[in-house]
Amino acid sequence: MSDCIECGRELFGRCDKKFCSDGCRNSYNNRIRRNGTEEPRRINRVLEKNRRILERLIIAGKRRSTLLKLSGEGFNFGYSTSFEIRKDGKRVIHCYNYSYIISSKDIVYVAFKNI
Ligand SMILES: [Zn+2]
C-alpha cells in the first residue's frame, strides 16, 4: 500500500498507482513543469546581463577590463554560451556574439565573436 504522491492520501487498488485522482496528477505535473522553467529563465537572465555588460564595454571602445571590475558590475563568470581552446592553449569564452579571454593577471580581453 502506498500514498498519493501529491496529497498523501492512502491509495487503494492497483499497486502501480501514484495518484488518488486526475486532479492530483494534474497539479503534480503542472508543478514539475512550472519548476522546470524557472532554472532556464534564471540562466537566461544571467547570460543576458553578461552580454549587456560586454556590449557596454565594446560600445565604449574598451576592449579590456578586469575580473574584479566586471564582477562588480554583476558579470557572472560561471555562465557562458560556449567556449573554445585556442591553439596557444588560451580559453576563449563566448557569450552570444561576444568573446573574452581571462589573462593570468585577471585581465579580461573582450572582442566580437569570430563567426
Ligand atoms: Zn491525491
Side-chain angles (χ1 to χ4, degrees):
M1 200 70 74
S2 59
D3 299 330
C4 172
I5 58 176
E6 175 64 12
C7 71
R9 220 172 276 150
E10 204 174 301
L11 295 172
F12 299 98
R14 280 187 7 236
C15 61
D16 60 340
K17 265 174 78 172
K18 290 189 214 154
F19 304 98
C20 68
S21 64
D22 288 341
C24 274
R25 184 191 308 108
N26 288 337
S27 50
Y28 181 83
N29 289 337
N30 286 340
R31 199 170 59 247
I32 286 185
R33 266 184 231 116
R34 208 167 42 239
N35 291 345
T37 60
E38 277 167 22
E39 180 67 352
R41 280 204 196 113
R42 188 186 68 77
I43 294 170
N44 287 343
R45 279 195 302 271
V46 169
L47 287 169
E48 178 51 26
K49 186 170 190 178
N50 284 355
R51 195 196 64 76
R52 279 199 311 268
I53 291 170
L54 295 175
E55 187 173 69
R56 248 195 330 259
L57 277 175
I58 296 269
I59 286 174
K62 291 180 186 155
R63 293 305 173 99
R64 52 183 279 179
S65 187
T66 63
L67 275 185
L68 206 65
K69 262 192 225 161
L70 290 182
S71 298
E73 289 175 37
F75 197 97
N76 187 332
F77 287 94
Y79 293 88
S80 64
T81 53
S82 64
F83 73 90
E84 62 192 270
I85 308 290
R86 284 197 327 203
K87 282 195 187 104
D88 60 8
K90 285 209 171 84
R91 180 195 296 249
V92 184
I93 304 159
H94 305 302
C95 179
Y96 298 111
N97 52 329
Y98 300 112
S99 305
Y100 58 94
I101 292 174
I102 302 169
S103 82
S104 54
K105 290 171 183 156
D106 288 352
I107 294 169
V108 181
Y109 296 93
V110 184
F112 282 105
K113 186 179 179 192
N114 300 315
I115 304 166

